[in-house]
Every structure is written in C-alpha cells, then in structure tokens.
Amino acid sequence: MPFSTTVDILSRVSAAGVDPYTVVVGQKLGSLFHMTVAGRQKILDALGNLQSFASIGKILWFGFGINHLVREMGKTEEGQLCLALCASISEIHQNNVAAEVLLEIAKTSKAPDNLLPSIFEWMALLDACAGILSATSFPELAKRYISLHPVRRGLSYEPVQGIMEHQRGCSSPESLAKALLAIAQVTRGELDSVTIIGGADAGWLAAFAEWFFQLSVHITLASTGKTLYLSGEDNGLVQLEIIYDDRLDNVTTDIQTTGRTFRLADATAMIQDDNTSSYGTASVAGRIPWKNALYSVFGTDFQTLSSNRQAFAGGIGSLARIVKSIAAGEGVINSYNGGSWRYNHAESYGKGLVAKVNDLFPELASFRDIMESEVRNDISSALSHYEAYITALKTACNCKICKGIVAVEESYCLVLILEVIFSISCVVSLMDLPIPLSPTRLGFEVYCARQFGLRRDLDERETSNIGKRYEKLGNVSFVLESMTLEASPLWDALTIFCGRPHKTRTMLDREVSAVNSNGICAYWAALGKVSSGCLASRMTVVPGWIELNGKRHRMITDMYEGNHRHWKDAFRIPGPTAFEDLSLWVRETDRSLKLGLRVFDPISNKITLPWVIPPARAISTYAQAKGRLVCEGRGCPRVAEQLEAVVTKEAHGLTVYQLARFRIAVVDVDIVRGWALTSNSTSPKVLFFEHECIDCCLKTAMACLRSETRPSELDAIVVKISVSG
C-alpha cells in the first residue's frame, strides 16, 4: 500500500476520533459473520444515501462528509460487517452498554487483556458508526420486533428508584455477546439453527439476523407458545427461534427449543445502578414511524385518551391558542415572555401548530375540527377551557399523579400524554428534516419523565418559581415550563431523535448553534443559508456529525467580541453579499467549536464597525423579535392612516415614520444585517417581518414602545427581511 494512501486512511481514522487498532479489531469481529449479497447491498445503500450539508461559506459541514471514516470502512466486507454490527446496536442500546457487548465478543479471541481495546475505545468506534442506519428501515424493524414483547412499558418516570416490576429491561452484555456469536455460526453454516430465550432486546437480535443475513426467524411467547412472527414459509427451516420469556418464575424446562439454546440474562437493575446519572441506560428501544407513533408508545392508554375526544382535542387546541398569546406578546401571560421562549415561528402556535400536530401525528386527524375551534377563542377562554379539559382528563385517568400523588405507576398518565404530544409537536414545528427521520420511543419516554419531574419539583418545592407560576396559571404551567427550559431547542431535537436527555449545566450548553449525539446532528438552519429570514428561527436535523476540515466535533458555541484578537484566523466567506466584509471565525477548543460572524457596514456609518455576531444568541433574538408580529393578512388595522403618520425621511431601503411621539424606521435588509442589529446592544428596539403588512408591524412596534422612553435618534427599527433564492 502506498505511503500516501496509508496516511490518508490514518488521517480519516484520526479525524473520526477513533483508535486505528480498535478499527482493526472491530473489522475482525465483523469477519465472524458471513455477509449475504442482500445484506451487503443494504449496507452499501445506507452508505450511498448519507449526505452532508454545508454552512455559509462551506467552512463547516453537517452530516457525513465525503472523507468520513465509515465510507472508508465500507470499501471492504470486513468493514461493512463491522459497520452493520456497530450501527445496528447503537440504534437500540446506549453506547456504554453496546461497548461492553463488543468487548465481550472480542474476548472470545482469547487475546491477552492488554491487547483488547478498552470500553472507551469501543465507544469511540460506536460513536463514529452511529447514524448510518438511522434513516433506513432497520430501526423501525427492530422496534416492531421488540414491540412484540408483552411488556410494552420502556421506562419508568425516574431512573434507578423508579424501576418497575414489569418494565422492559436490558440483557447482560455477556449473554448478548454469546447470542451474537451463535448467530454468526448460523451465518457461516456451522449451525443449522439457534434458540434465544429472553426479553425485549431479543427482538433486536431477530432484526439484525433477518435484515443483514436474511435468516428465517420465528418469534413465540413462552407462556402460551403463540407465534408472534414467522418469516418465510410455515414449513420452512427456522434458523433463529426467539422465545419471549414472559413468565415471572423464569422456568423454561417445558419450552420447546431447536438447535443450541441461549438465555439472555436480565441486567436492567445492575446496568442502571452503574449509570445513575444517565437516564435510560438500561433501556431497549428503537425508532417508531410517525404514522402510528402514539399507539406504539402509549398503547391502550392512548386509546383511552382518544376516547375522551373533547377534553383531549380541546386541550391541544387551547394550548395552541395560549402559546399564540405568548408569541404575539398579548401580555396576559407575562411569566414566559423572556429570552427562553423560542416558539415564535408561524407553525409553532395557533392554527399553524394545529396543522403541524395533525401532519406529524396522522392518528389525530379526526380531532382537527375540535382543535381549530378552540384556537379561535380569546386567551381568557382558552385558559379556562384548558383547566376544564384537564380536570375532565384527570377524572378519566384517575392515576396517582392525577390524584396529586407524585409516584411511579405502570400505566401512562393521560394528562402527561397530552403534554408530551403538544411539547414534541412544538419542537418539531421548528425543524426541517431534509432526510426523513423517525423518532425514538425513548425520546417520548424522556419527555414523559420531564413532565413527571416538573410535578415532583412542585411537590418538593412549592415556593419555587414553578410553584409560583402554578399558583398563578394552574395546570398550563406544566406545559409552558417544559417549553421554557434553559437548554436550546437543539437539545430537545436530539432527545426526540436519539432518546438522550440533556441537562443544561453551563451557558456553553445554552448558546449553541449546532449539537450532535449518537449519529444525529441538529443545527440552526440559518448557518446554512443567509438569504431568507424565516430560516433564522428554524433548525435542521440530519444523520451525522459536525465537521471542520474533515474532523468530527460535538457542538458549536458562540464567540463574542472580546475574542477579536483571533480574527486573523477568520475564514472570509466568498461570493456576493451586501457587505464590504463578511467573515466567519471558527476556533477549536477542548469542549466545542467557537463560531462568530464579523460584519462591516451593517446599516449606519454612525455605528462603530465591525460588528461581531454570536450566531446562537442572534438567532434566538431574531426569533423572539419576529414572533411579536401576528398578522392575519386581512382586516388589519390601518395604523398609519389612523395616527396620521408622517414620513420624515425616505431613502433607498429606508423609511422613517413619525407616529404620535414615536419615531419608527422601516428598513429593507437581508438576514445577516438583521442579525447585526440584534447583536448591537446600543441599537433601538428591533422587530422583524417578511410577509406581514406594514400596519401590523407599526402597531406591534408601538405596543412594545408605549411603556419605554428612549433618548435615541430612533425609538424602533422595523426590519423587512429580503427573501431571495
């Protein structure tokens, strides 16, 4: 092999943050299996469909770049098999458990312990491979087989202390490794068949064997012998027999088995005890299709909720109206008007949100009329109706939570299900999914745990902020509190698509422009395009990672003006812009990439130049400023005419109005100029609009200014964002 080729491969391995020796050992593990033609094609198709998306200036990339390690591994059969094993187990198990499984398989080589990669090295390899199957049918197939297990509940509301008697558990890494090795023997023709007895994650083994190696699979129930699934012909040879053990006594002497038999040992309590800080470590869950996500997760509890049509749909519609009141700054609910409120996009409130809920969850299509009827109410009616609907649902549910007892139960609380549906809909309303992605079941479970946690906090600290808000607003405070957590909505996106909760610890975690976890990347869409203002309040979610110069990174955080001494290392963004200079600055740190935009000549020669734009903060401010504007498009008040507005200045792209005692400038700029305005603390109040009428803009500006006195040349700047291709 030429030296240059060797260096190229090593650089890709290094850029992925993986130890080269671990890749070699991982490929040897893959060689234990015999790949079929169909299985090879599925891996190649998955790799071929991976994409990457450029930032402005094509400095950063989001997704799987052309030089990503997985593309190199996919060139050999051993590498393809290693990818199949690592990527598939990452979809179902969390990486610390998956790493132990790989380590146990590696131990079968009988190599000395000092020659085996460590758990941390296996986790790095799993990280690099995660996400390549996320947009394929494999995760949903695994979830479908896992769901055949009679225990539907994936998690309790709390880690460790909340483990329930009939909670879906996780098998021990050692027993999973033995089962995988037995499946490998079947693929090589050394065994005709194998029987695996165990819990829900035996369904993942069935999906792995069928999807990659086309083994015939038969899934039955231990207690009754009932066939839950059979692939192929009824009288054909079954190569993998899965028996879901639903017996409390774990007696298996009378279970009929074929070939060699393996029992998966349950290790739920042990795994969770070892990872008390990581919620859901012992969980087993795949991806669920949006079309039947609610029944897939909540089962008969969702059916019970649906049977209470008016209370359920009316509650969703009332919440959509309440959120519209906050976004429009109506002033009725002032507790949530601060910087943490992000849901100001048109699809995040009112009729737009009702449409999004129904588009996202087809199971709710028959409820749309009720939801839209509630959206038409005034805010006072919406608040009172919501309380009435929640009272009705509590009566129908009658669980411990609804009785005011904050305790774990086997069934799902109907009120919590409603809150989870609404919260997830709001987050997804901010998203673009250029590559279709299904959510994880664990993501829904984590949202349930979040809502439960808010009630626990209220129960333990009645004098806390949530206690004060609950006393003032009632039950709606639980939903609004969940939507105003300090973490960026980007983290919420990862919760939905990765099932990994995130606890905000520092400002670094809040002011992020891009994050990734378990092979899924979420970033503000404005980083990829600067010509359209509406993109500034939206995020994009894709399989893959954040890449700079081919190297993998976990997050991008804001750079501030105080770091101006580093601008000598900035990248100049090429191409036509409205600026004399537009530069993008990226610097690697031990925790994240630091990102900033430097802009010259944003609007006025009176302002000290250049301006430095921290993207996450600018995007957040933009979303809030634009969200204050609500224009129905017809019947709007003729503010300029009624107040006898006087145009005091008019120039290209600039009009200054005198309305009563206020001076309001209307300027026509592109989105980056708008960002610059929001980033300048000395500028007047800034509002944004795209398609809204000028009268509604002036009305909103005046409403925001009435209680303020500003000794400045202008009281407010109303910015029209130019939208171009």
Side-chain angles (χ1 to χ4, degrees):
M1 180 182 295
F3 175 75
S4 59
T5 304
T6 305
V7 171
D8 179 60
I9 294 174
L10 286 174
S11 69
R12 296 188 189 195
V13 176
S14 175
V18 180
D19 173 51
Y21 178 68
T22 305
V23 176
V24 173
V25 177
Q27 292 184 143
K28 288 300 179 185
L29 297 189
S31 67
L32 297 173
F33 298 86
H34 178 71
M35 180 71 85
T36 63
V37 174
R40 181 182 302 108
Q41 190 59 50
K42 286 182 176 180
I43 282 290
L44 293 176
D45 288 344
L47 292 173
N49 290 330
L50 297 179
Q51 298 182 47
S52 59
F53 301 85
S55 71
I56 49 177
K58 297 185 179 180
I59 306 301
L60 299 164
W61 292 84
F62 307 101
F64 288 93
I66 58 174
N67 292 319
H68 195 282
L69 172 63
V70 297
R71 299 188 189 277
E72 186 64 35
M73 293 175 65
K75 294 178 180 179
T76 66
E77 184 160 311
E78 286 185 347
Q80 294 164 8
L81 287 161
C82 179
L83 290 174
L85 180 60
C86 292
S88 63
I89 197 171
S90 292
E91 285 291 333
I92 306 302
H93 293 85
Q94 297 209 24
N95 280 0
N96 47 357
V97 176
E100 290 192 46
V101 174
L102 297 182
L103 179 60
E104 291 295 334
I105 296 176
K107 287 180 180 178
T108 61
S109 66
K110 297 181 180 179
D113 287 346
N114 64 322
L115 295 182
L116 295 177
S118 69
I119 289 289
F120 297 105
E121 288 164 339
W122 285 120
M123 288 178 67
L125 179 60
L126 288 162
D127 260 348
C129 299
I132 67 172
L133 298 178
S134 295
T136 69
S137 61
F138 175 80
E140 290 185 9
L141 178 69
K143 169 62 179 63
R144 188 157 68 246
Y145 291 168
I146 290 171
S147 295
L148 296 175
H149 191 276
V151 177
R152 299 184 62 86
R153 189 61 184 270
L155 286 174
S156 61
Y157 291 130
E158 297 178 281
V160 190
Q161 60 267 37
I163 290 179
M164 298 177 295
E165 182 180 358
H166 301 298
Q167 176 182 326
R168 181 186 294 169
C170 179
S171 302
S172 71
E174 183 179 6
S175 61
L176 281 171
K178 289 180 179 178
L180 283 167
L181 289 169
I183 292 173
Q185 288 183 284
V186 176
T187 67
R188 298 197 306 267
E190 297 173 9
L191 287 177
D192 291 331
S193 63
V194 64
T195 297
I196 298 173
I197 305 169
D201 48 3
W204 165 70
L205 293 171
F208 177 73
E210 183 180 275
W211 206 76
F212 289 106
F213 308 107
Q214 291 70 58
L215 299 188
S216 55
V217 175
H218 185 210
I219 303 177
T220 59
L221 202 57
S223 60
T224 63
K226 177 184 177 181
T227 294
L228 303 175
Y229 172 77
L230 175 64
S231 64
E233 301 178 359
D234 291 346
N235 57 355
L237 172 66
V238 174
Q239 295 170 293
L240 178 60
E241 184 86 33
I242 298 293
I243 301 176
Y244 280 142
D245 190 1
D246 59 335
R247 301 182 176 191
L248 297 179
D249 55 10
N250 290 327
V251 175
T252 58
T253 54
D254 57 343
I255 296 177
Q256 298 297 313
T257 64
T258 59
R260 293 186 62 185
T261 302
F262 296 85
R263 168 175 279 282
L264 300 180
D266 187 274
T268 305
M270 178 189 70
I271 293 171
Q272 195 62 68
D273 283 343
D274 290 341
N275 299 273
T276 55
S277 63
S278 181
Y279 184 82
T281 301
S283 65
V284 175
R287 296 187 183 276
I288 49 179
W290 286 109
K291 64 181 180 182
N292 59 357
L294 301 179
Y295 180 76
S296 295
V297 176
F298 303 115
T300 55
D301 295 318
F302 171 66
Q303 292 180 324
T304 303
L305 177 62
S306 299
S307 67
N308 293 269
R309 288 182 56 83
Q310 186 64 41
F312 173 39
I316 295 287
S318 296
L319 283 172
R321 176 61 182 91
I322 292 166
V323 170
K324 177 182 178 181
S325 174
I326 298 173
E330 292 181 4
V332 178
I333 303 176
N334 295 317
S335 304
Y336 300 96
N337 284 337
S340 58
W341 189 261
R342 306 293 183 94
Y343 301 95
N344 296 307
H345 193 271
E347 290 186 344
S348 302
Y349 56 77
K351 292 181 181 179
L353 181 56
V354 168
K356 172 57 69 174
V357 169
N358 284 269
D359 179 57
L360 196 61
F361 300 111
E363 296 159 285
L364 304 182
S366 63
F367 299 96
R368 183 164 186 166
D369 289 345
I370 300 175
M371 295 180 191
E372 290 184 342
S373 175
E374 293 294 331
V375 167
R376 289 191 286 269
N377 290 326
D378 58 55
I379 181 59
S380 297
S381 298
L383 287 167
S384 61
H385 286 193
Y386 183 75
E387 288 299 317
Y389 291 140
I390 293 302
T391 300
L393 288 179
K394 285 182 176 180
T395 302
C397 182
N398 202 35
C399 70
K400 290 180 181 178
I401 296 174
C402 290
K403 293 176 181 177
I405 304 170
V406 186
V408 176
E409 252 190 307
E410 297 292 332
S411 61
Y412 290 96
C413 172
L414 302 187
V415 177
L416 261 63
I417 296 176
L418 183 152
E419 293 175 358
V420 168
I421 292 171
F422 187 82
S423 298
I424 288 178
S425 298
C426 285
V427 175
V428 178
S429 73
L430 301 177
M431 290 184 195
D432 294 316
L433 298 171
I435 301 172
L437 273 177
S438 297
T440 61
R441 178 195 170 105
L442 184 54
F444 281 78
E445 300 270 10
V446 171
Y447 264 83
C448 275
R450 176 189 290 184
Q451 298 308 119
F452 176 83
L454 291 172
R455 287 164 170 82
R456 181 189 56 210
D457 292 345
L458 176 63
D459 188 53
E460 295 175 354
R461 299 188 296 275
E462 293 184 0
T463 59
S464 63
N465 287 335
I466 185 176
K468 296 174 183 176
R469 290 167 181 160
Y470 178 78
E471 184 178 346
K472 181 179 180 180
L473 297 172
N475 288 294
V476 72
S477 60
F478 291 120
V479 180
L480 301 181
E481 199 74 21
S482 174
M483 295 172 66
T484 53
L485 295 177
E486 292 180 335
S488 165
L490 297 174
W491 294 113
D492 288 335
L494 293 189
T495 295
I496 294 170
F497 292 104
C498 301
R500 273 60 167 176
H502 177 79
K503 294 182 180 179
T504 301
R505 296 180 175 87
T506 66
M507 184 63 72
L508 185 70
D509 298 326
R510 298 169 193 154
E511 296 186 347
V512 293
S513 299
V515 292
N516 77 275
S517 175
N518 203 45
I520 301 295
C521 176
Y523 63 97
W524 289 116
L527 293 185
K529 189 175 182 181
V530 299
S531 60
S532 179
C534 63
L535 291 176
S537 58
R538 299 188 64 80
M539 53 184 161
T540 302
V541 181
V542 296
W545 292 84
I546 303 161
E547 293 188 4
L548 172 66
N549 297 326
K551 292 180 286 187
R552 201 161 51 100
H553 296 274
R554 292 195 175 275
M555 72 173 83
I556 298 175
T557 58
D558 279 351
M559 186 281 301
Y560 290 95
E561 193 168 5
N563 304 107
H564 64 274
R565 63 184 181 277
H566 299 290
W567 278 111
K568 60 182 178 63
D569 301 319
F571 294 96
R572 176 71 192 275
I573 297 177
T577 71
F579 302 94
E580 294 176 4
D581 181 36
L582 174 59
S583 300
L584 182 135
W585 177 80
V586 185
R587 184 168 65 90
E588 297 182 55
T589 70
D590 59 339
R591 284 201 59 189
S592 68
L593 289 177
K594 290 285 186 180
L595 175 64
L597 289 172
R598 184 179 69 169
V599 180
F600 279 91
D601 191 26
I603 190 169
S604 169
N605 292 328
K606 295 182 180 179
I607 299 173
T608 302
L609 301 176
W611 278 3
V612 176
I613 305 174
R617 176 172 290 187
I619 290 167
S620 173
T621 306
Y622 170 87
Q624 294 166 47
K626 186 179 185 305
R628 297 189 183 102
L629 290 171
V630 176
C631 176
E632 300 294 341
R634 62 182 184 276
C636 302
R638 301 176 67 84
V639 175
E641 181 180 312
Q642 292 170 4
L643 296 180
E644 298 180 349
V646 177
V647 176
T648 61
K649 184 176 182 179
E650 193 165 13
H652 179 68
L654 170 66
T655 305
V656 179
Y657 292 89
Q658 182 75 44
L659 287 90
R661 63 186 178 89
F662 300 117
R663 295 174 301 281
I664 301 175
V666 178
V667 297
D668 190 340
V669 298
D670 61 22
I671 183 59
V672 179
R673 287 177 181 253
W675 286 356
L677 286 168
T678 64
S679 303
N680 180 28
S681 59
T682 64
S683 69
K685 183 175 289 295
V686 179
L687 302 173
F688 293 93
F689 75 105
E690 292 171 36
H691 307 293
E692 297 86 353
C693 72
I694 187 62
D695 281 295
C696 283
C697 296
L698 295 175
K699 175 187 174 183
T700 305
M702 292 184 67
C704 294
L705 291 170
R706 279 198 177 102
S707 60
E708 302 181 16
T709 341
R710 289 175 175 266
S712 60
E713 182 181 349
L714 291 173
D715 292 299
I717 300 177
V718 179
V719 182
K720 176 173 173 53
I721 299 298
S722 301
V723 180
S724 57

